[in-house]
Amino acid sequence: MARTQGACPCARRAHRRRRADLPRAPECRGLGAAASVRTRRRRAAQVVAGVPPDYFSATGQRWGNPLYRWAAHEAEGYSWWTQRIARSFERVDILRIDHFRGFAQYWEIPASAPTAIEGRWCTGPGAALFDAIATALGPLPIIAEDLGLITPDVAALRRRFALPGMRVLQFAFGDDHRNTYLPHHHEPDAVVYTGTHDNDTTLGWWATASAHERSHLLAYLGSAGSEPNWI
């Protein structure tokens, strides 16, 4: 895959590639917000960012970040985004964009709401943003964090731009053979992780895993489970 020049000469000499995460919505008092205060904030006192109820929380996640004014970004040709991504690739070789599904649709929460339950789905920039990035920067090694509630429009957006998605092994063994996180369902355009920043370590997960998850994992891998973190 192509990439911009300049990142990590020591790592390249050692045949290693450095990967970093790009938060979709930086904290409202951070440098990313300050640098784009004119185009980025969208009725910050009225609505904030987050995700609906899911596997991790029955009340969803109320992040509290200000939301993007996508019409303003579109009017500027998404220049803030292309500059942000170009700058990131000056430091790393591979970039994972967090909460990719928010580019298709994002969860908007009233600022007065204590949880994310009262939010609603709103339309994101979709292909227009990634067309602008591709035009400005060319093909780039970007991983799309496509976890959570992934609808067909999110999958179509990722595939349209040939961005690999994610598979998380800790999510694989709670169901049956149809679970899409199981290795036999992995597709070539996927990057496999043992867990994410929301998960425990592998040993921590194993210590609290259900009897079904443990037996499923051991049967699937044909292991006695003496060192589950090295299976």
Side-chain angles (χ1 to χ4, degrees):
M1 291 182 286
R3 60 175 297 279
T4 53
Q5 62 182 0
C8 316
C10 294
R12 287 202 303 276
R13 285 197 296 271
H15 304 289
R16 297 172 182 167
R17 305 181 74 188
R18 297 186 63 180
R19 183 196 65 80
D21 287 355
L22 182 74
R24 180 179 170 276
E27 200 273 331
C28 63
R29 291 170 295 179
L31 292 177
S36 60
V37 65
R38 182 170 61 85
T39 60
R40 184 174 176 276
R41 296 192 180 188
R42 179 185 183 277
R43 295 180 290 136
Q46 301 174 29
V47 292
V48 295
V51 292
D54 58 11
Y55 174 88
F56 291 103
S57 173
T59 59
Q61 298 179 41
R62 184 190 182 282
W63 298 333
N65 307 80
L67 292 165
Y68 292 101
R69 294 175 56 212
W70 286 117
H73 282 283
E74 181 182 16
E76 295 187 352
Y78 299 102
S79 59
W80 182 80
W81 277 93
T82 57
Q83 292 169 21
R84 185 184 184 206
I85 289 177
R87 186 65 171 166
S88 296
F89 274 108
E90 292 177 4
R91 293 166 168 77
V92 301
D93 302 289
I94 302 170
L95 199 63
R96 190 198 75 141
I97 297 182
D98 188 45
H99 195 56
F100 179 81
R101 77 103 53 242
F103 295 110
Q105 289 186 317
Y106 59 91
W107 193 246
E108 179 184 273
I109 307 165
S112 59
T115 72
I117 292 177
E118 298 178 29
R120 64 169 185 164
W121 288 113
C122 297
T123 301
L129 169 62
F130 293 94
D131 279 332
I133 293 170
T135 298
L137 304 175
L140 295 169
I142 291 175
I143 300 169
E145 186 267 279
D146 57 345
L147 305 176
L149 178 61
I150 302 303
T151 48
D153 57 333
V154 181
L157 180 64
R158 179 180 67 78
R159 292 190 174 114
R160 173 171 174 172
F161 293 93
L163 304 178
M166 289 178 58
R167 294 294 181 269
V168 179
L169 292 178
Q170 287 187 24
F171 298 159
F173 299 97
D175 301 310
D176 58 22
H177 65 280
R178 292 169 292 185
N179 187 308
T180 57
Y181 289 104
L182 285 168
H184 68 272
H185 289 301
H186 294 177
E187 299 176 345
D189 62 343
V191 179
V192 181
Y193 292 72
T194 55
T196 74
H197 57 273
D198 290 317
N199 294 87
D200 202 340
T201 63
T202 300
L203 279 177
W205 170 81
W206 179 256
T208 59
S210 67
H212 172 75
E213 288 176 309
R214 288 189 174 208
S215 61
H216 190 182
L217 172 64
L218 298 180
Y220 189 89
L221 299 179
S223 169
S226 57
E227 291 184 296
N229 51 320
W230 293 111
I231 293 177

